[in-house]
């Protein structure tokens, strides 16, 4: 009897037990890719060099604006190898030396490195210094061969170096110390031993140095003065002629320095092109005999004929891009020209000396969402019939990289995703009757077969083929990449805004791009010269009513780099990726505040603060205005002025007065301000709680059945300030002159709730705020280690509610309203620990109901993401916890935080160039979705307290079935046995 | 422990005051990351494994890479106290504190920050290897028994063996009463398996 009644709860118990046993936190190697995905990018290509040796794989070496050098497979566009240089180590030039070394010049021309072409191993590194800042040039001439070595010519920091290609040894150097000399070009004519260094001095003087490339000897120095001066840009039209513009931008100067003699030729642009108005700009290029200027959106191609005579070959008002010249045979050079016309893109490859005929002319249909062509790189190959074929690498406006060959796009890379500015999420459409789901469900037999395979796997009976079958079955599970909402909330769209002004929607299941949209409002236009995307907000999240509406996001951007430039708003439907509308604002958007109110169509109300401290309400509807007026007196916000160390609190005052008479515009008033003394404190970090964070309970039961109440106001701001001296690099200050002060400030009243000083500490500070605690990471100069501190803040005013009698008699204050205007009785607890690594970003896991315990996600300097249980950062940790505290789960205090390799959520992967970590709750309480972005993207699901509310992926149903069958069989057998025994007993 | 890869980070400090002109003066830090041949955890023995080693100064102020022989250098570093970190997948390196004294050039101190061990010879051993994956336990009867199904079966067996013993130990009077009860209920049947049918 006991068995039967016990069986069911027992079964439930073991199931729970089993699921909790499963270590979800740490991964088995064969689980990689089940719940996570990783994508590698390089960023917008700045320069590309082809390596097409007859032997070996064809590849292209690129340097990018994300500071990456990479070797890509020319056939498929995959990355062979890639290095991300430091952020101060900007790449100035790349080239290939001796056919097997990639030479890079970086850090303003002071670091020259050579990498092994096949595997990207650093071969040598040279540090080049010079007397002064200057432009830098990297030349790898092919004719300067001495035995097996090749010479690299580098001009940087006002000094010309010749460096050996084999070992990076500096062979000779030559200084150009003339005070005002500004180098414009370093020219190495092919087939001679001369180097020309040309530039301007004192804005009206042209200087030319002729140098022997073998030993650096100065052969000739000439200069000539031109009264009208020069503009900076020059274009090289032959190895001994350059073209520049005078300081007004209306006269073209052809400067030739043949045989060391400088001669000028002046040609007013109006002579060549009558309608020219306004100053022209030279488009930098290096096609022999031809250069291009741009005036009033018209591009003019001009040919240089003979002694400085100029001739216009083509005028076009289409957007164009020109490649550099490519020598294809003896004395012949080809270049590629791309023009946009309508939705098509015309590619022409021409010989440099023959404009009118084309070697190649192709029209390519280009996706509108890629925008214009920004850069073109050309490469040739010999076809089987010995004619020349060309392949062209193009960089588009959205930073994507495409290879064109024979009129087709051979491959494309979405490298815009390497520079994500902001991330938000959107739900997928609901599963409707029309959407067929039946196909994905297996029939019962297949299902059983799959589980039998899994069972074999667990029992270690599977053959290698079976193992492979299991793996592919798990990876291909179509369940996770469906385009509909799922019950657990694992499938979502990640909407990301990139620096190129393009929005992408990525599916969380497999990371594929669902749609992408180049925002028209972020397009360069007359009204908006240099638009910058800033932030993404969830504009409309339909759930209860307005179910038929599609969700949409709000993209806030502004025209220009200064914060008072006018803002632009765009609204994008997240199901279709269409831009619903866009608004060019008359005012700036220095601050965007999503309000916790929505209208009847679930549009969220947003308050935009402009640079004159007016508040503007969006959406501009009367309904929104009514909702807003009801909450008028409850809206507070703060602003941080980092440069002068002031934090201010604001509230709304009244409708706008003065010339901006608008129903949706409001005047604001300043409520409070906290001024930090500028001589001793400088704000380096401010962090507040996430707006959408859910806290499950305010009460925290501690060991001895006592209760503490968390202080969970959403209006607490964490501010970290450092001594102005200590705001620089590590090692620039002594511990005595550096300190870090952490504040907790109430943003409604401006009251400082807590203040703590860390002497001998220094930034950078990375902090995260959640519930009633804040964790921050900084550098401790005394110990010379990184440290992490935690501050927890508790509400004391409720602390005396512990008495049961008071609760029974109703004398508690639990239901009394909380007002921030009453002085809060808070206590804080804090503790500090050492942490080994530098940190790039910190985030905290967030779950749907906030019940699951939290983990900190720490992006380390090695571009990995470490999950660290919040229990390690508990101020109540002590060296010898009492028995009761141990039971509660308090970990004995150690001086440093543990780094467990298995708890890296990125496991053996690197999120190169990590910049941010975003966590999104899934519908399933135990699980949170984590998205880490940098140059690479990484996504995974995490269960900080393990998946206590669902069976894990590898739960073995077959084993369960077998056990149940075995149990039933056993019951039958024992039943039979007992019947027989009973019978025997009766006979006895 | 013998199997643990022994990596050596030899930080050879040379304090050559570099070219100085105007305000630009700096030291050069030369060091070495040495991975002896034949080592490396599984999955990281890639051909270009040295090419994935990054050396980071002061939390990202400078980043450099190591040459095939493990040497690396930082140029134009001001005097003061600096922190060098090594990022190598699969290995855990302690950050190194390096002091350049401005007052007497040439005096350099280096120490591991994790265990505060000074590096007079400037030899840094890796603190440990890092394995990012759990290792699957090989199949064993114990693990099967420990699984919930195994526990269930085990429980069944225990009950089947020990319950009769318990029944034997009951005194005759009680036994008879229980048997009476059982008879009243009838023989257990499969319909009684459902939770609703389980009366007790």
């Amino acid at each position: 009897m006991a068995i039967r009644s016990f069986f069911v709860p027992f079964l439930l118990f073991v199931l729970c037990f089993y699921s909790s046993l499963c270590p979800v936190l740490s991964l088995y190697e064969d689980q990689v890719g089940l719940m996570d995905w990783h994508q590698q990018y390089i960023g917008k290509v700045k320069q590309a060099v082809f390596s097409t040796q007859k032997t070996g794989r064809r590849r292209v070496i690129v340097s990018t604006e994300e500071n990456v050098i990479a070797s890509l497979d020319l056939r498929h566009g995959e990355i062979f190898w890639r290095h991300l240089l430091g952020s101060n180590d900007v790449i100035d030039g790349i080239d290939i030396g001796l056919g097997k070394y990639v030479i890079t010049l970086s850090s303003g021309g002071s670091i020259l490195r050579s990498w092994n072409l096949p595997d990207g191993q650093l071969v040598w590194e040279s540090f080049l210094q010079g007397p002064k800042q200057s432009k830098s040039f990297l030349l790898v001439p092919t004719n300067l061969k001495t035995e097996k070595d090749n010479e690299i010519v580098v001009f940087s920091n006002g000094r010309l170096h010749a460096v050996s290609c084999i070992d990076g040894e500096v062979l000779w150097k030559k200084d150009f110390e003339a005070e005002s000399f500004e180098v414009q070009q370093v020219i190495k004519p092919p087939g001679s031993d001369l180097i020309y260094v040309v530039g301007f001095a004192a804005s009206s003087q042209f200087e030319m140095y002729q140098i022997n490339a073998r030993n650096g000897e100065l052969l000739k120095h000439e200069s000539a003065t031109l009264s009208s001066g020069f503009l900076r840009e020059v274009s090289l039209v032959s190895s001994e002629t350059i073209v520049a513009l005078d300081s007004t931008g209306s006269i073209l100067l052809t400067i030739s320095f043949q045989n060391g003699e400088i001669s000028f030729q002046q040609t007013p642009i109006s002579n060549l092109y009558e309608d020219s108005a306004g100053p022209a700009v030279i488009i930098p290029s290096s096609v022999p005999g031809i250069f291009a200027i741009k005036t009033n959106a018209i591009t003019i191609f001009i040919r240089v004929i003979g002694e400085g005579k100029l001739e216009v070959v083509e005028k076009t008002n289409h957007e164009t891009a020109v490649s550099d010249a490519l020598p294809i045979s003896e004395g012949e050079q080809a270049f590629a020209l791309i023009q946009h016309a309508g939705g098509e893109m015309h590619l022409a490859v021409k010989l440099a000396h023959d404009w009118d005929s084309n070697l190649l002319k192709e029209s390519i249909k280009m996706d509108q969402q890629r925008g214009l062509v920004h850069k073109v790189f050309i490469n040739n190959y010999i076809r089987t019939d010995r004619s020349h074929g060309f392949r062209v690498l193009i960089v588009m406006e959205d930073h994507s990289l495409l290879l064109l060959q024979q009129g087709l796009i051979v491959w494309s890379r979405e490298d815009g995703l390497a520079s994500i500015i902001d991330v938000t999420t959107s739900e997928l459409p609901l599963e409707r009757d029309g959407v067929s789901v039946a196909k994905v469900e297996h029939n019962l037999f297949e299902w059983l077969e799959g589980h039998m395979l899994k069972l074999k796997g667990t029992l270690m009976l599977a053959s290698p083929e079976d193992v492979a079958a299991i793996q592919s079955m798990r990876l291909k599970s179509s369940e996770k990449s469906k385009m509909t909402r799922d019950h657990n909330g694992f499938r979502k769209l990640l909407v990301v805004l990139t620096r190129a002004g393009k929005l992408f929607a990525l599916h969380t299941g497999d990371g594929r791009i669902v749609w992408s949209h180049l925002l028209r409002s972020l397009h360069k236009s007359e009204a908006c010269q240099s638009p910058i995307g800033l932030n993404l907000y969830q504009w409309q999240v339909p759930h209860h009513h307005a179910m038929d509406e599609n969700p949409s996001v709000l993209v806030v951007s502004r025209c220009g780099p200064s914060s008072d430039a006018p803002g632009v708003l765009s609204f994008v439907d997240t199901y279709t990726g269409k831009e619903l509308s866009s608004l060019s604002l008359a005012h700036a958007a220095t601050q965007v505040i999503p309000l916790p109110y929505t209208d009847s169509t679930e549009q969220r109300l947003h308050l935009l603060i402009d640079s004159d401290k007016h508040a503007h309400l969006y959406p501009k509807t009367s309904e929104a205005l009514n909702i807003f007026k009801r909450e008028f007196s409850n809206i507070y916000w703060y602003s941080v002025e980092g440069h002068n160390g002031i934090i201010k609190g604001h509230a709304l005052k009244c409708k706008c007065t003065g010339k901006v008479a608008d129903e949706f515009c409001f005047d604001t008033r300043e409520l409070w301000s906290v001024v930090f003394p500028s001589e001793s404190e400088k704000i380096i970090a401010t962090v507040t709680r996430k707006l959408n964070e859910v806290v499950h309970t305010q009460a925290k039961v501690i060991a001895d059945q006592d209760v503490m109440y968390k202080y969970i106001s959403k209006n607490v701001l964490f501010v970290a300030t450092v001594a102005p001296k200590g705001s620089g690099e590590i090692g620039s200050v002594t511990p005595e002159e550096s300190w870090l002060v952490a504040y907790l400030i109430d943003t409604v009243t401006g009251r400082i709730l807590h203040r703590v000083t860390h002497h001998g500490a220094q930034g950078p500070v990375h902090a995260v705020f959640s519930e009633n605690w804040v964790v921050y990471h900084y550098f401790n100069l005394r110990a010379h280690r990184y440290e992490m501190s935690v501050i927890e803040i508790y509400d004391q005013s409720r602390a005396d509610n512990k008495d049961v009698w008071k609760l029974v008699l109703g004398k508690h204050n639990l239901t009394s309203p909380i007002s921030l205007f009453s002085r809060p009785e808070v206590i804080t607890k804090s503790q500090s620990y050492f942490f080994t690594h530098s940190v790039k970003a910190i985030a905290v896991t967030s779950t749907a109901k906030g019940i699951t315990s939290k983990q900190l996600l720490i992006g380390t300097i090695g571009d990995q993401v470490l999950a660290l249980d919040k229990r390690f950062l508990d101020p109540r940790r002590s060296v010898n916890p009492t028995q009761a505290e141990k039971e509660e789960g308090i970990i004995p205090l150690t001086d440093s935080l543990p780094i467990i390799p298995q708890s890296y959520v990125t496991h053996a992967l690197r999120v190169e160039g990590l910049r941010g970590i975003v966590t999104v709750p899934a519908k399933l309480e135990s699980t949170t979705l984590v998205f880490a972005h940098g140059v690479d993207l990484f996504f995974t699901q995490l269960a900080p307290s393990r998946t206590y509310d669902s069976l894990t992926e590898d739960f073995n149903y077959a084993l369960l079935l077998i056990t149940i069958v075995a149990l039933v069989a056993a019951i039958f057998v024992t039943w039979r046995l007992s019947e027989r025994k009973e019978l025997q007993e009766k006979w006895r | 422990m013998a199997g643990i890869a022994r990596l050596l980070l030899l930080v050879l400090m040379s304090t050559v005051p570099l070219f100085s002109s105007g305000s630009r003066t700096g030291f050069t830090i030369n060091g070495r990351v040495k991975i002896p041949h034949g080592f490396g955890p599984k999955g990281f023995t890639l051909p270009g494994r040295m090419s994935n080693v990054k050396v980071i100064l002061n939390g990202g102020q400078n980043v450099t890479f190591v040459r095939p022989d493990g040497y690396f250098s930082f140029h134009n570093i001001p005097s003061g106290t600096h922190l060098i970190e090594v990022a190598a997948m699969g290995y855990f390196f302690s950050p190194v504190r390096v002091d350049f004294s401005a007052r007497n050039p040439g005096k350099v101190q280096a120490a591991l920050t994790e265990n505060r061990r000074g590096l007079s010879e400037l030899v840094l051993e890796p603190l440990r290897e890092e394995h990012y994956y759990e290792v699957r336990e090989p199949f064993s009867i114990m693990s099967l028994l420990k699984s919930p199904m195994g526990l269930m079966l085990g429980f069944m067996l225990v009950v089947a063996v020990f319950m009769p013993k318990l029944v034997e130990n009951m005194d005759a009077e009680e036994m008879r009463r229980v048997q009476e009860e059982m008879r009243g209920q009838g023989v257990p049947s499969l319909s009684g398996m459902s939770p609703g049918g389980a009366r007790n």
Side-chain angles (χ1 to χ4, degrees), chain A residues 1-8 10-11 14 17-18 21 26-32 83-89 111 113 115 119-127 129-131 133 157 159 458-460 474 729-731 779 781-786 834 836-838 861-864 895 899 901-902 904 907-910 912 954-956 959-960 963 966-968 970-972 975 979 982 985-986, chain B residues 18-21 24 43-44 47-54 56 58-68 71-76 79-83 85 87-89 92-98 113-116 128-139 144 146-153 155-156 159-160 163 179 182-183 185 187-190 192-195 197-200:
Chain A
M1 284 284 96
I3 303 171
R4 275 194 299 161
S5 58
F6 190 68
F7 179 70
V8 175
F10 177 72
L11 183 70
V14 288
F17 181 63
Y18 182 63
L21 261 184
S26 40
L27 220 59
Y28 293 111
E29 197 156 0
D30 51 28
Q31 287 175 323
V32 171
H83 292 296
L84 178 67
L85 304 189
S87 53
N88 302 331
D89 203 9
I111 296 178
R113 291 192 181 99
W115 313 82
D119 61 1
Q121 170 73 55
L122 181 72
V123 182
W124 51 257
E125 183 185 69
S126 285
F127 183 58
Q129 276 194 318
Q133 295 275 313
N157 294 317
R159 182 181 285 179
T458 10
L459 298 180
M460 300 281 166
R474 296 158 100 192
E729 310 285 356
I730 291 166
F779 193 71
L781 284 162
R782 284 185 212 280
H784 216 75
R785 296 174 79 173
Y786 285 100
F834 289 125
T836 308
H837 298 297
S838 301
I861 192 77
D863 293 326
Q864 291 171 291
D895 66 340
I899 292 177
Q902 284 90 347
Y904 278 110
H907 43 93
L909 300 169
R910 262 183 185 169
E912 204 74 54
D954 48 356
F955 181 79
N956 210 319
L959 194 59
L960 179 66
T963 316
L967 283 175
V968 169
I971 286 165
F972 266 106
W975 177 41
E979 251 183 356
E982 211 170 339
E985 214 135 277
K986 277 180 182 163
Chain B
L18 284 176
F19 183 84
S20 61
S21 78
R24 297 211 309 175
F44 295 99
R49 66 176 188 275
M50 287 300 272
S51 74
N52 287 323
V53 178
K54 263 187 200 181
I56 300 148
N58 291 347
Q61 182 193 335
N62 291 37
V63 178
T64 194
F65 300 85
V66 299
R67 275 166 256 176
Y71 284 99
F72 65 88
S73 38
F74 289 109
H75 306 283
N76 209 9
S79 64
T81 310
H82 301 281
L83 189 76
E85 286 168 275
M89 288 307 270
F92 178 83
F93 281 90
S94 164
V96 187
R97 166 197 178 135
V98 182
T113 61
E114 278 294 281
N115 47 20
R116 298 174 196 201
R128 56 181 179 261
E129 258 177 84
E130 288 193 326
H131 293 280
Y132 300 114
Y133 301 111
E134 292 284 315
V135 182
R136 280 229 188 256
E137 295 284 327
F139 176 70
L144 194 68
K146 270 190 208 157
S147 80
M149 322 304 169
L151 285 173
M152 224 169 348
L153 286 173
F155 185 78
M156 280 280 293
V159 169
M163 281 300 266
Q179 276 174 351
M182 272 183 137
R183 222 160 279 139
Q185 276 177 346
V187 206
S189 67
L190 275 188
M193 282 295 291
S194 66
R199 297 156 288 160
N200 209 1

Side-chain angles (χ1 to χ4, degrees), chain A residues 140-401:
Chain A
V140 185
T142 46
N143 62 331
L144 277 182
K145 280 191 181 151
T146 48
E147 286 156 38
K148 278 177 186 163
D149 201 354
N150 200 354
E151 208 172 273
I152 302 165
V153 180
V154 178
F155 189 97
S156 66
N157 294 317
R159 182 181 285 179
L160 189 68
H161 308 259
V163 182
S164 157
C165 197
I166 299 278
D167 54 6
E169 212 55 42
V170 175
L171 302 173
W172 53 260
K173 52 193 174 196
K174 170 89 189 80
D175 280 6
F176 292 83
E177 276 181 89
E179 194 63 5
S180 60
F181 177 69
E182 270 183 61
V183 67
Q184 292 299 332
Q185 281 290 342
V186 177
I187 307 150
K188 173 77 194 57
S192 79
D193 269 0
L194 297 174
I195 297 173
Y196 292 105
V197 177
V198 297
F200 304 129
S203 80
S204 65
Q205 191 153 322
F206 179 77
E207 306 258 350
M208 188 278 295
Y209 297 87
Q210 195 183 49
I211 284 154
N212 185 343
R214 295 279 173 203
N215 53 19
E217 193 189 325
L218 179 64
L219 297 175
K220 212 172 256 183
H221 173 211
E222 294 283 330
S223 63
T225 312
L226 193 80
S227 53
S228 54
F230 303 94
L231 281 185
R232 292 284 161 264
E233 288 294 317
V234 298
S235 183
L236 192 65
V237 290
S238 82
S239 58
E240 288 170 336
T241 315
I242 62 165
V243 173
L245 280 164
D246 78 335
S247 52
T248 61
S250 58
I251 298 171
L252 280 169
L253 304 166
T254 320
I255 308 160
S256 133
F257 40 93
Q258 232 156 10
N259 307 323
E261 302 292 321
I262 301 177
S263 61
F264 284 104
Q265 204 79 43
Q266 298 193 21
T267 318
I269 293 174
S270 50
N271 286 8
L272 297 167
Y273 172 63
E274 287 77 24
D275 307 334
S276 82
V281 197
I282 287 190
I283 299 171
S285 71
S286 71
V287 181
I290 290 182
F291 66 96
I293 57 170
K294 198 168 183 176
T295 164
N296 300 341
I298 292 179
T299 314
I300 307 168
F301 289 92
I302 299 168
R303 179 157 58 193
V304 183
I305 25 175
E307 288 294 301
K309 279 219 184 88
L310 303 179
E311 181 193 38
V312 173
V313 285
E314 191 166 326
K315 286 190 282 251
T316 175
N317 55 2
H318 296 310
E319 289 291 337
T320 56
V322 189
S323 77
D324 283 352
L326 168 85
I328 50 169
S329 60
E330 207 46 49
E332 283 194 321
Q333 295 198 318
F335 69 96
L337 175 73
I338 288 187
Q339 298 199 1
H340 285 273
E344 291 226 316
M345 206 175 71
H346 300 293
L347 166 70
V349 178
K350 295 169 191 279
L351 282 177
H353 58 83
D354 184 9
W355 180 273
D356 301 317
S357 65
N358 293 322
L359 285 176
L360 182 80
K361 195 167 171 64
E362 282 162 359
S363 285
I364 294 142
K365 196 115 184 82
M366 188 54 76
D367 183 2
Q368 287 288 307
Q369 301 303 341
R370 293 200 188 278
L372 305 172
V373 174
H374 275 189
K375 280 198 166 91
V376 191
F377 304 96
I378 184 174
N379 177 234
N380 69 329
Y381 59 91
I382 309 289
R383 293 213 192 91
T384 41
D385 60 348
R386 302 204 143 267
S387 64
H388 285 287
F390 294 94
R391 51 171 92 86
V392 174
L393 196 65
I394 55 173
V395 182
M396 304 297 293
E397 193 178 2
D398 68 342
H399 298 186
S400 60
L401 184 70

